[in-house]
Amino acid sequence: PAAIATCWRQCAALLAQVHQVDVATALPNWETPRGLAEELAIWPNVLKHAQDPAWLAAGTRLGEQLLGQLPKNPRIGLVHGDFQPGNVLFEAGRVSGLIDWEISLIGAQGLDLGWLLLFSDPQAWDAGFQPLVPVSQAALIDAYRDAGGPAATDLHWFQAMAHYRMGAIACLNVKLHRTGKRHDPLWERFAPSIAPMFARGSALLA
């Protein structure tokens, strides 16, 4: 557990480094920054694939809550897009790389921190599909801030956004698996977490 806690803290510190990249210098003219309203507008078209009406209702309700509470001045910069320990490489217990950049963007960097908090929040997941996180969310936020992370604001909103986004992705992937279009039993294991994920997102905003 101590070694795993160290890995989680290193992830948070690594995210701070990603968020300190000067995009004007390192990525000039790469893409137009994406606003939060634009980001939020992507996900109803994914959520609509929910096969369970209760999933669709809960996800729709969470999306409406998010739209009604948009952060006013989010920190804009490089966003990895899927920042969680499964995409961080380690060698001898130390960070050695960060992979899976294909959905990276210029946008609100709180999206990355909210995503990391989702993956470290036991309340977001079914009892049979729990993350192994021997470190508190407060400790992860402190590790991010201590490493110079600039986007630790509006965290309840950004974590709730992560719940909405991950829940919508799960609804689509469960459908693809159950209809035989893409066989992946992992999503059957994931399915019981969809309802608590949406519920936890709504609770964070309340």
Side-chain angles (χ1 to χ4, degrees), residues 105-176:
L105 66 141
I106 304 297
Q109 293 179 317
L111 293 169
D112 275 339
L113 191 51
W115 197 249
L116 184 64
L117 293 176
L118 159 65
F119 278 82
S120 63
D121 183 0
Q123 296 183 63
W125 304 88
D126 179 73
F129 200 66
Q130 282 283 308
L132 182 58
V133 192
V135 62
S136 69
Q137 290 197 317
L140 291 178
I141 295 166
D142 285 345
Y144 173 81
R145 285 179 169 144
D146 290 346
T153 58
D154 298 302
L155 292 184
H156 284 92
W157 191 94
F158 283 110
Q159 186 175 344
M161 176 64 180
H163 288 63
Y164 177 60
R165 182 177 158 214
M166 185 75 258
I169 291 169
C171 286
L172 171 60
N173 285 331
V174 168
K175 178 184 178 181
L176 292 173

